[in-house]
Amino acid sequence: MRYIETLKDGERISEVYYVKQKQIALTRTNKEYGNVILADKTGQIDTKIWDLNSGGIQEFEVGDFVDVSGQISSYNGSLQFKVERIRVANEDEYVISDYVPSSRYDVEDMFKELLGFVDSVKNEYLKQLLNSFFRNDEIFVKAFKNTSAAKTVHHGFTGGLLEHSLSVTRLCDKMAANYDYLNRDLLISAAMLHDAGKTRELSEFPKNDYTDEGNFLGHIVIGYEMVMEKIKKIEGFPEILKLEIGHCILSHHGELEYGSPKKPSIAEAIALSMADNIDAKLETLREALEAKDTNDWIGFNRWLDANVRKTI
Amino acid sequence: MRYIETLKDGERISEVYYVKQKQIALTRTNKEYGNVILADKTGQIDTKIWDLNSGGIQEFEVGDFVDVSGQISSYNGSLQFKVERIRVANEDEYVISDYVPSSRYDVEDMFKELLGFVDSVKNEYLKQLLNSFFRNDEIFVKAFKNTSAAKTVHHGFTGGLLEHSLSVTRLCDKMAANYDYLNRDLLISAAMLHDAGKTRELSEFPKNDYTDEGNFLGHIVIGYEMVMEKIKKIEGFPEILKLEIGHCILSHHGELEYGSPKKPSIAEAIALSMADNIDAKLETLREALEAKDTNDWIGFNRWLDANVRKTI
Amino acid sequence: MRYIETLKDGERISEVYYVKQKQIALTRTNKEYGNVILADKTGQIDTKIWDLNSGGIQEFEVGDFVDVSGQISSYNGSLQFKVERIRVANEDEYVISDYVPSSRYDVEDMFKELLGFVDSVKNEYLKQLLNSFFRNDEIFVKAFKNTSAAKTVHHGFTGGLLEHSLSVTRLCDKMAANYDYLNRDLLISAAMLHDAGKTRELSEFPKNDYTDEGNFLGHIVIGYEMVMEKIKKIEGFPEILKLEIGHCILSHHGELEYGSPKKPSIAEAIALSMADNIDAKLETLREALEAKDTNDWIGFNRWLDANVRKTI
Amino acid sequence: MRYIETLKDGERISEVYYVKQKQIALTRTNKEYGNVILADKTGQIDTKIWDLNSGGIQEFEVGDFVDVSGQISSYNGSLQFKVERIRVANEDEYVISDYVPSSRYDVEDMFKELLGFVDSVKNEYLKQLLNSFFRNDEIFVKAFKNTSAAKTVHHGFTGGLLEHSLSVTRLCDKMAANYDYLNRDLLISAAMLHDAGKTRELSEFPKNDYTDEGNFLGHIVIGYEMVMEKIKKIEGFPEILKLEIGHCILSHHGELEYGSPKKPSIAEAIALSMADNIDAKLETLREALEAKDTNDWIGFNRWLDANVRKTI
Amino acid sequence: MRYIETLKDGERISEVYYVKQKQIALTRTNKEYGNVILADKTGQIDTKIWDLNSGGIQEFEVGDFVDVSGQISSYNGSLQFKVERIRVANEDEYVISDYVPSSRYDVEDMFKELLGFVDSVKNEYLKQLLNSFFRNDEIFVKAFKNTSAAKTVHHGFTGGLLEHSLSVTRLCDKMAANYDYLNRDLLISAAMLHDAGKTRELSEFPKNDYTDEGNFLGHIVIGYEMVMEKIKKIEGFPEILKLEIGHCILSHHGELEYGSPKKPSIAEAIALSMADNIDAKLETLREALEAKDTNDWIGFNRWLDANVRKTI
Amino acid sequence: MRYIETLKDGERISEVYYVKQKQIALTRTNKEYGNVILADKTGQIDTKIWDLNSGGIQEFEVGDFVDVSGQISSYNGSLQFKVERIRVANEDEYVISDYVPSSRYDVEDMFKELLGFVDSVKNEYLKQLLNSFFRNDEIFVKAFKNTSAAKTVHHGFTGGLLEHSLSVTRLCDKMAANYDYLNRDLLISAAMLHDAGKTRELSEFPKNDYTDEGNFLGHIVIGYEMVMEKIKKIEGFPEILKLEIGHCILSHHGELEYGSPKKPSIAEAIALSMADNIDAKLETLREALEAKDTNDWIGFNRWLDANVRKTI
């Protein structure tokens, strides 16, 4: 695999890339040409197909993986790919992991650890609820493992939702150990499910963009609804417990202005919102530091609202 | 009916009132007595039952209507009711409307006007949705007619939810006439249903307090869920229309800090949130002016954030 | 007329355009050249006059309409106009409407509708006030018809102030029908006049920029002053009515932080500020949707503080 | 003069006081009585006239000075004045200064110093403007000397407006000496006039309450209008200077959220708004410290948003 | 010990209490009397000494423990203590713990656990720093064990500072286990010392009020200074480590508006500020729930900005 | 000296400049080249060293002054300097003042005026404190004269800290004359020292960037610490005076959100924070107006949050 970040001016390339954008535009002389963005997990490149009627140019769409051949050149200081031949690639011609950024951790290891937390829940109703998601809903599990936790900010990679959910669950578990008045079962159940709605708010990689549902409703309400639907199928699920776990999910952003329709009203909701916040901030910083590997100040980070640096 | 606001020091009274609060307290000499608040639609009165073991004192609970006899006296500048006899009243001994503040308008007239709006909707799916609430769900209709639109602020009376929903619908209908690019069917359907969740957020009069569900979830999410459940039963309801009406309900407070988990993203959601805001503000002012019938400035109103007065 | 948005690299052009900016700059070799921006209603083009001493180059100023001849070329990805001959055009050589964006609606139709609202006012003093502006002050009427309602945001076109004032008046008229405690005469009079100050805050098209007065005082205070001056000439105008309409104009932005020196204190001031807000938001969205004709999400709109899209 | 703060339980009093409030109320037995508040500069006392038909009770109104006789008693921990005889006092029966709090400084001394600043202005137009207020407008001068600078907060005493205006002028004079690019004439002229509108926003002592005009328009806009009216009568007053001084007055609260419709745009407007702020804060602290003469912390002051104390 | 919360109207009492406030006031008849507030850990009682010249009345000051005898009576609905004899008590006549609220946990147990964390630090410089506080500074250790963590809000009891510091340290230890890129030594050292300044910001119980230093400087800066002074005495303490731990203390309130002069810039500072926030919120809720032992909603809590309740 | 702002395309230059940045980069063909920014007080220029192995290219570092020869050319509309020879210059080959922007005023004149203020202080302890900085600490005095008052905003030039401190001191001196209850000695002492911490927050010119200490602690805390250290060496310095001057320094930004850990609690702290604010705003405006020498509006200034212009 020849990754996009390694391409150089003047090279001839033949490789499979992912089609991120595609438009038909007009040259100054009113001739149609293809204005395309190709991508892999290391970056993206501006791509032109000047002769759309050439024999080597076949049909393709946004979201396809395409086998392209052509020339890399430099234009206004950036590289450009002039494509001469293009066709949709077969599934065996590429490995998806070359095209999507992914978690540092093994997805299956993380999921196994999460299932351990499921098994540690003693409340029968909450355990049934968790199993209905993490053991009995294959579609959900697949999405939960593949989705990122965000489009742009922290955990914006495949496996990111799982990694974040697991980390928040661990923190909640530890808080429950420190504060004996916390209901551990409720807290870690809510932790595992708090961002479940992201499986429908964001499309899977390599697209990783907001869905219509995501834009209109947001993951907080979607996740709340998903949990309520599962609970309806569990006979005898206590009404107050249903409200409490629903409340934990709705209030997990901690403040109305961050999109929670309710502020946390019970101890577990407070604990969950704090754990979510910690994991978001520490991962944001970790990613920022990793992106600029230096011991010096790396400048103002707008999510953390401060000039930040690696601890020495 | 002898209304509470007309009671005077020294009178002996025998009347039916509503039990708003009830506690067993201890006198300084460690004797138990009943500390009760009785209410009707004109106000409430501090009530004491000094001798709980007296023959005339029967069992009763908060929420009961009770027939009480005793003496009005003055204590620290307020009136106090010393009760000698008390028993739960029969349903034919009082008329509920004496105990709850109510809309200036006739509930049935308003509801009929609302049904007219339902009938004016052309989109078949939205019409089915509206009918599923306003024509086919008796429990909802009863609650919708009786609930207030708030515990304390504007429209805090029985019929208030209906009055407010109707007024917002009228405003939306007029906006649709002024802005041709608005989808009238979507807009007035959302207007009629925007506060549907209040039927479960607030208990009915005379209690009129937040329910557990109301405290944990809030009427925005409850209403959204109620609408989604009805839509699921309507075959062929378009997916995008479902998201749009759901979005209108979720975003109708207009700003995240007012409890909407999403800001309005489509024209109808903007129009609805503005109409809701107008009706809330103008009714708040109307009630404030009515409470202090004067042509002078009536002082700072914290909901309107201004010193207000009647227009002359 | 050859509109600027249709110009292509390599063409020779001879056309009349509007002079938006003009500077004399120095080349690297210290030679003076003309650095000019020409505009029509479809856009603007970077223009260079390399030889200022050429016979074909005559004197002109910002604000002139000039007849220019020369060559279109491409520079750094944008088009540039190298002018060889330029002279101020005669008034009969161009039609102003080619140079200014304008309302979708006919100005005279809108103004006629506005006069209908004037005639519908029953209060004699308010009617005199409105006539003193809309019937008896030709300079005002001309400016009122030509001015935009804003430099950049909503209604930023000729006729925009009239279109916006009319739309707000219509909404206020409808509110007065819905809320019987509103004083319709006061409300719609204030609606028609609320942005009167914009006729002096913004210069007319094609310049459409803030005047000194606009920058120093703002349209709220200017408009208030204009109304007070007219009222002084109306014998017997009631003092309290003068204060009320003055207050409506001063408070029409609704919040201190939006530049109103007073928050609305009477019902009509509240209603007007809401109607103004509605019309601004819905027109902002309409223009944003029109600019990107698509059914997809069009991205974050900072005036509406949300990702927006056309309703489907 | 027997000041209210010295009255004691059990005394019989015959004295002239100011009528601050007056209501006719009903006793529990439905008998009318007078519920009055009497005041002098040291405080106020709750006053009852139980027998309105007694021979000694004559007509009087809010704002009158009345000669009253009766008995002081204690009720619920406060003193109460039971009046037996009351009549409107003649002007020679009291001295107004006993009834209004006043500046520590002599009003005429302060005004003389202010006129010195007027005379120091070199710009002929500004000097004419200042003279048109401070030398040629007797009604204005009288109000300017008597009005307070606020209803409740700093400088809430007669002479307060003059004291504050003078202090701000002094500070501005000193700033002009420190920053050579400030236009001293413009700055100190604006300083003297910046709160001119308070002469109409607040009624004079002993009433000292907001007028209708004050509530509807506020002193910023009133003062701006007063200055504009004077300028219109000064032939040849430069247009730009008019805008600049108008802008200084409009923007002198420094921030939109403090009621200025424009933020300061020129150096003198910035300097004036800062000087106004300094004088307000330092006087607020001085009054707070004076009210509690102690070397200890005097608690949280909400205007200064801090726990404050005297410097030792 | 007869606790104040158990006193009843009519009783005669002879007991030792703490003098919280003392003033000499005047009766209406100009006679001096003592206006005193006596307190123990269960509450306080309004106390009067009517005859200051009586033989049984000896000298005493605020902060003394006094042996008092007298009569409890009821006045305006509250109890009042009329003291007939009063004298300063000897130290062996009372046990301090009866007069101060204290932690639920044993102070020595908590301190021992804290020393365990000290011993677990591997960095030699940080370990020396911690020992210089927790092992070698007796005055500090005594204050650290006795001070509360706040005057009014969470942990407002003796031992509160230790309890809070220990709980934050535990959370930080757990975070360091979850995020491998955190420097555990730095983090838990900062956690143990983050509120060290409170030992000088607040006076010890039973006074528990802000000191001059506390009011002028605040515990953040005081604590920073204390740590810097200890570090100066540790030879070879790395400069960057000094800045990092100083930064953690300065930034531990997380936001400038909460009084931190710097926002957290390194991962450990972020983690510490979050841990501090969690412990404050969960303890605030715990204390609120404990104060009103109920399963129902306990109303709006302004520190948590929500209506809260116990999890069921 | 050939200043950078005068360089033209095509010239050959041989001059000494300051090295602001230096990186080794790779060409598309993987060859190393030097990517350098050279600067003087008039600006900076993008500089390339294509052949790093050439005989004329000697070693140099960021912060050096280098003697360079080469060719100026134009690239993408900006000038670029292709360097052929480069070597570190000797100290006698350049004058530092050509490389750093500096105050309009003479540093020694300003410092002399400041010493005059020192001498005018009557309190012996404060005078000792000021002398310990301004007369007896050579390293501090050198830094105080050379440091700027900011990295980017107002007073961002050598001598800026002195100019700002002096101007604030003058304003405070004048305030003390206007408000007799201010303690002049305390106020002007605090004024002279309020930004002392900037000598360590910012590195000296030509670097003028935040130090580690500046980033971690900020000049408010650094300055507080510097003052406390000097005070410790002054025998008998009153404890309360120490707290008061410490408080003035800590609170001089006036608001928590501007980085002060305490709000001003005493009159001198309020006065100082206002004087600091005035000087910052008026200098910001002066620099903005000077940068664009025009009588027209110069556009929105984000520090002043307004469209600004020169007073005419």
Side-chain angles (χ1 to χ4, degrees), chain D residues 138-152:
Chain D
E138 280 181 36
I139 292 168
F140 173 78
V141 169
K142 181 174 174 301
F144 190 76
K145 288 176 177 173
N146 287 328
T147 310
S148 77
K151 186 180 166 191
T152 46

Side-chain angles (χ1 to χ4, degrees), chain D residues 122-139:
Chain D
K122 297 199 177 90
N123 180 293
E124 271 314 305
Y125 298 105
L126 291 172
K127 185 176 285 190
Q128 280 184 58
L129 175 63
L130 293 169
N131 279 326
S132 74
F133 276 100
F134 295 110
R135 285 216 166 82
N136 306 330
D137 186 337
E138 280 181 36
I139 292 168

Side-chain angles (χ1 to χ4, degrees), chain E residues 127-145:
Chain E
K127 185 175 285 191
Q128 280 184 58
L129 174 64
L130 294 168
N131 279 326
S132 74
F133 276 99
F134 296 110
R135 284 215 167 82
N136 306 330
D137 185 338
E138 280 182 35
I139 293 167
F140 172 78
V141 169
K142 180 174 173 302
F144 191 76
K145 287 176 177 173

Side-chain angles (χ1 to χ4, degrees), chain D residues 99 136 149 157 209 245:
Chain D
Y99 301 89
N136 306 330
F157 42 75
D209 203 354
I245 196 164

Side-chain angles (χ1 to χ4, degrees), chain C residues 134-151:
Chain C
F134 295 111
R135 283 214 166 83
N136 307 329
D137 185 337
E138 279 181 37
I139 292 168
F140 173 77
V141 170
K142 181 173 172 300
F144 191 76
K145 287 175 177 173
N146 286 328
T147 310
S148 77
K151 186 180 167 191

Side-chain angles (χ1 to χ4, degrees), chain A residues 104-105 166-168 170-171 174-175 177-183 186 240-241 244 247 255 263-268 270-271 273-275 277-286 289 297 304-312, chain E residues 104-105 166-168 170-171 174-175 177-183 186 240-241 244 247 255 263-268 270-271 273-275 277-286 289 297 304-312:
Chain A
R104 293 171 296 160
Y105 302 107
L166 177 60
S167 186
V168 170
R170 278 195 212 118
L171 285 172
K174 286 166 177 174
M175 282 193 219
N178 200 39
Y179 298 102
D180 50 19
Y181 83 105
L182 288 172
N183 177 334
L186 173 59
I240 194 74
L241 188 61
E244 286 172 343
H247 174 74
E255 303 285 342
K263 291 264 305 181
S265 281
I266 54 175
E268 292 74 19
I270 292 172
S273 71
M274 299 299 295
N277 199 353
I278 290 170
D279 197 60
K281 283 194 171 148
L282 288 181
E283 176 68 9
T284 297
L285 179 58
R286 196 193 62 78
L289 294 175
W297 296 90
L304 300 170
D305 190 27
N307 186 3
V308 294
R309 71 178 279 177
K310 189 184 289 186
T311 311
I312 299 169
Chain E
R104 296 172 294 162
Y105 302 107
L166 177 60
S167 186
V168 170
R170 278 194 212 117
L171 285 171
K174 284 165 177 176
M175 283 192 215
N178 200 39
Y179 298 101
D180 50 19
Y181 84 104
L182 288 173
N183 176 333
L186 173 60
I240 194 74
L241 188 61
E244 286 172 344
H247 174 74
E255 302 286 343
K263 294 264 305 182
S265 282
I266 54 175
E268 292 74 19
I270 293 173
S273 72
M274 299 298 295
N277 199 355
I278 290 170
D279 197 60
K281 283 192 171 152
L282 288 180
E283 175 68 9
T284 297
L285 179 58
R286 196 193 64 77
L289 295 174
W297 295 89
L304 299 170
D305 190 27
N307 186 2
V308 295
R309 72 176 277 177
K310 192 184 286 187
T311 311
I312 301 169

Side-chain angles (χ1 to χ4, degrees), chain B residues 300, chain D residues 151-154 258 281 284-285 288 298-308, chain F residues 255 263-264:
Chain B
F300 186 80
Chain D
K151 186 180 166 191
T152 46
V153 278
H154 65 92
Y258 300 155
K281 283 192 172 152
T284 297
L285 179 57
I298 64 171
F300 187 79
N301 180 296
R302 75 185 176 105
W303 303 107
L304 299 171
D305 190 26
N307 186 2
V308 293
Chain F
E255 304 284 343
K263 292 265 304 181

